[in-house]
Amino acid sequence: MNTTAFSDLDKYYMAHAILLAKKGRFTSSPNPNVGCVIVANNIIVGEGYHQKAGLGHAEVNALAIAKDKAMGATCYVTLEPCSHFGRTPPCALALTKAGIKRVIIAMVDPNPKVAGDGIKILEKAGIKVDLGLLKNEAMDLNRGFIKRMQVKEPRVTVKLASSLDGKTALKNGQSQWITGPAARCDVQYFRALQSAVLTGSATVIADNPSLNVRYESLKNHLDFDLTLRPAEIRQPIRIILDSHNKITLKEKLFSLEGKVLLVSLLPRDDLPKNKNQFSADIEQLIGTDDGHGRINLKVLLTQLSDYEINDLWVEAGATLAGEFFNHQLVDQFILYQAPKLMGSQARDLVNLPDYSKMIEVVQLSLQSVVLIGNDIRIISNITSDRG
Amino acid sequence: MNTTAFSDLDKYYMAHAILLAKKGRFTSSPNPNVGCVIVANNIIVGEGYHQKAGLGHAEVNALAIAKDKAMGATCYVTLEPCSHFGRTPPCALALTKAGIKRVIIAMVDPNPKVAGDGIKILEKAGIKVDLGLLKNEAMDLNRGFIKRMQVKEPRVTVKLASSLDGKTALKNGQSQWITGPAARCDVQYFRALQSAVLTGSATVIADNPSLNVRYESLKNHLDFDLTLRPAEIRQPIRIILDSHNKITLKEKLFSLEGKVLLVSLLPRDDLPKNKNQFSADIEQLIGTDDGHGRINLKVLLTQLSDYEINDLWVEAGATLAGEFFNHQLVDQFILYQAPKLMGSQARDLVNLPDYSKMIEVVQLSLQSVVLIGNDIRIISNITSDRG
């Protein structure tokens, strides 16, 4: 194995493998997005991606197309081939058996316990392995999966929408609509990429949201894959933080299909015994008290990792969103800003402690600022070095 | 006179005249920015711009270079040549005398009382006149001047700076610095383009600002004209709204040169009789009571028009800025947003009435959204059609 220079053609094939991997972005979770290209004599003889848990891995799908043209060929794969017998036999073994001569890998397995095992199998079989080509781009495919593998917590994105003066609703609660249809369609696109959508019981009771992905809106997004049928869209798990069991189960979201996780501090005895009572598949998760009668969010993230949640999307009110920021649990922040001014009497974006120095406030690092319809979308990461 | 099609060369020469006009943007107020190009046989034989009241108009400066090459030439000018004997003889007459054969004008005089008079002089002399080439670009040179000529009010730009959640200072008042050095340099650039900078006495008492243009900062701005020396920079008039004479005259801004206009509801008797007592040239302006013991802003704008203020830059706190918005007196809004979250306990951007419907809030129309250093600058116009 080495990390020497790659040719322009190598980069081209790996970039193609990354594009293939992206085709699985609405379906692969909890598995990672992986793409694979097999090249013989500068011709692509096989390509594949991982679509969904239980279906073939990217390498297996590419080999199935390449057939005996894989003999002596080079394989480009965005993630280290697996080494374990899981739902499918190890891909490293499959590549070896097919007679692949060289494997170029963008990044190693993010699980520190198995990282490098796939490479060992390949090298043991005499295959030349090169590592690190378009590594950052490959990591961008699976930021949530990588974080879960490494720290056993999902990647957390907080999404909020406000006016230019940071207001989310009028004093009387009216908020429809702050942002326009293009921004709302964009939210559907991002939701569709998540493993789970989280909110608080106060928001559910006040706004009665569906919290699901709506194909009718999603299909209008420029980056959506129109070859996907409505039934193929993964509905993110809907997670409701309901410390004191205030949810009545009569709210709209329970009438829609998909899993709902109710996180409370105390068990409730009114959960349906008959699975057909609700369209939603409801499950309760008992959280840990943070010492103030609220759910400990840091512990919750570890619990959600056990549910194989890679990417957690938080659409919450000022208090819950503020707690995620205040406990430094936010990886990414997406803010949709409407070109409006609502005034100081309107409701605030995020509740945070009463800071006494400017150096203490939440510091963000801008990643992108773009117009979405008539609104502004600001994506930022959290800068951790606070005073 | 006609408004027929223009050639690409015509557009090129007029675009050059517009660039020339811009050279006066730090000095020409209260006069408009005007540029002029004289072309004979497809060669520029003369060019000029208006630098400052009392100095030559653009056409006169261009003719001084062209000399007898102006005979039979075409003149491109961004604003209708003047027809009156003011500080200089009428330019329309000068063009006639020089033997110019054709005049292409971007826009007519914005003063409805004299609009067209310059064109009449030219046409009467047998000169071919064409109107409207790059009219919008020519209007952009003088938005404030045009508004003052047409409605006898300056063009109002409100500038604010906040965190992403619309906060301007911590609860304890600390606010230095929300935005970074690049944004602060950008503010210096915009201030240098203004006729006047306006703020309230509360801001002066709390922050003790200079409110002047600082060459040391301005010279770092990419769009600054480095051929200008510090003494050539026009210092905008500093206007302090001080309804109840709370200003003590001991504040820092009075120790800096330039004009200060104190707007109050009652005369004060402690103004300096000896002009040398303060570095600043202080004058009091008695405003009109709005019925609530505050200065009527709409009336004030008309008063400021009499001071020949074309462009008024408002850097005020949440209350005064809010009053400008609430009375629909804002033409342009510039917001610098720092990638920070300060929380609901911090201070709000703008005080507005308690709206009961979303349709009542201040609606803006985005003009540009760009990064300035690590901050976002959002320029918007005000949409007047509110519910």
Side-chain angles (χ1 to χ4, degrees), chain B residues 75-280:
Chain B
C75 170
Y76 297 82
V77 61
T78 58
L79 185 68
E80 178 183 358
C82 64
S83 57
H84 60 281
F85 284 85
R87 292 168 179 128
T88 51
C91 290
L93 219 55
L95 292 169
T96 305
K97 278 188 187 168
I100 293 285
K101 212 174 161 181
R102 185 186 177 203
V103 178
I104 301 183
I105 299 168
M107 64 173 286
V108 295
D109 191 313
N111 186 339
K113 288 183 189 160
V114 298
D117 288 357
I119 292 171
K120 272 180 210 150
I121 293 178
L122 296 171
E123 291 190 326
K124 213 167 169 182
I127 294 173
K128 184 173 186 304
V129 178
D130 292 304
L131 187 65
L133 177 59
L134 300 188
K135 183 185 168 187
N136 284 333
E137 291 79 356
M139 289 181 75
D140 283 342
L141 291 169
N142 295 301
R143 291 282 170 197
F145 176 79
I146 294 169
K147 187 181 173 197
R148 177 164 71 88
M149 288 297 120
Q150 294 182 337
V151 301
K152 296 201 184 308
E153 288 178 8
R155 179 166 194 250
V156 177
T157 299
V158 170
K159 170 258 167 182
L160 292 168
S162 75
S163 58
L164 280 191
D165 55 339
K167 301 297 177 176
T168 59
L170 296 177
K171 196 176 171 184
N172 66 17
Q174 193 176 128
S175 67
Q176 287 188 338
W177 294 104
I178 288 183
T179 54
R184 299 202 298 275
C185 170
D186 200 55
V187 169
Q188 287 291 315
Y189 177 79
F190 275 100
R191 268 193 197 169
L193 296 172
Q194 309 300 316
S195 316
V197 174
L198 181 149
T199 195
S201 55
T203 298
V204 172
I205 290 164
D207 301 344
N208 203 16
S210 305
L211 294 177
N212 61 350
V213 174
R214 293 181 284 279
Y215 189 85
E216 285 310 300
S217 178
L218 182 62
K219 73 175 187 191
N220 296 323
H221 197 283
L222 265 182
D223 292 331
F224 182 62
D225 179 354
L226 282 168
T227 64
L228 285 170
R229 293 184 305 272
E232 290 179 293
I233 302 301
R234 175 189 62 233
Q235 285 293 342
I237 299 175
R238 289 163 287 171
I239 303 173
I240 318 298
L241 298 205
D242 185 27
S243 316
H244 302 102
N245 295 329
K246 289 188 178 158
I247 291 290
T248 65
L249 304 181
K250 295 195 176 85
E251 292 81 5
K252 185 165 71 179
L253 66 96
F254 298 104
S255 69
L256 298 161
E257 287 189 18
K259 182 162 188 147
V260 177
L261 206 54
L262 282 175
V263 187
S264 325
L265 290 175
L266 290 168
R268 57 191 298 161
D269 51 16
D270 58 348
L271 285 184
K273 315 241 170 333
N274 176 358
K275 282 278 176 191
N276 296 325
Q277 193 181 339
F278 295 91
S279 296

Side-chain angles (χ1 to χ4, degrees), chain A residues 5 47 78 100 124 131 253 281 291 315 330 354:
Chain A
E47 61 176 46
T78 58
I100 292 286
K124 214 167 171 183
L131 187 64
L253 67 97
D281 169 19
E315 281 193 47
V330 181
D354 179 13

Side-chain angles (χ1 to χ4, degrees), chain A residues 167 170-172 174 325 337 339-341 343-345 348 350-352 354 356-358 361-362 364, chain B residues 167 170-172 174 337 339-341 343-345 348 350-352 354 356-358 361-364:
Chain A
K167 301 297 176 174
L170 296 177
K171 196 175 170 184
N172 67 18
Q174 194 177 127
F325 280 110
Q337 279 188 331
K340 295 178 167 79
L341 293 174
S344 51
Q345 306 198 54
D348 277 305
V350 59
N351 296 337
L352 290 169
D354 179 13
S356 62
K357 291 176 184 165
M358 278 301 294
V361 308
V362 177
L364 307 164
Chain B
K167 301 297 177 176
L170 296 177
K171 196 176 171 184
N172 66 17
Q174 193 176 128
Q337 279 189 329
K340 297 179 165 78
L341 292 174
S344 52
Q345 306 197 54
D348 278 306
V350 60
N351 296 338
L352 291 169
D354 178 15
S356 62
K357 291 177 185 166
M358 280 301 294
V361 309
V362 177
Q363 308 281 345
L364 308 163

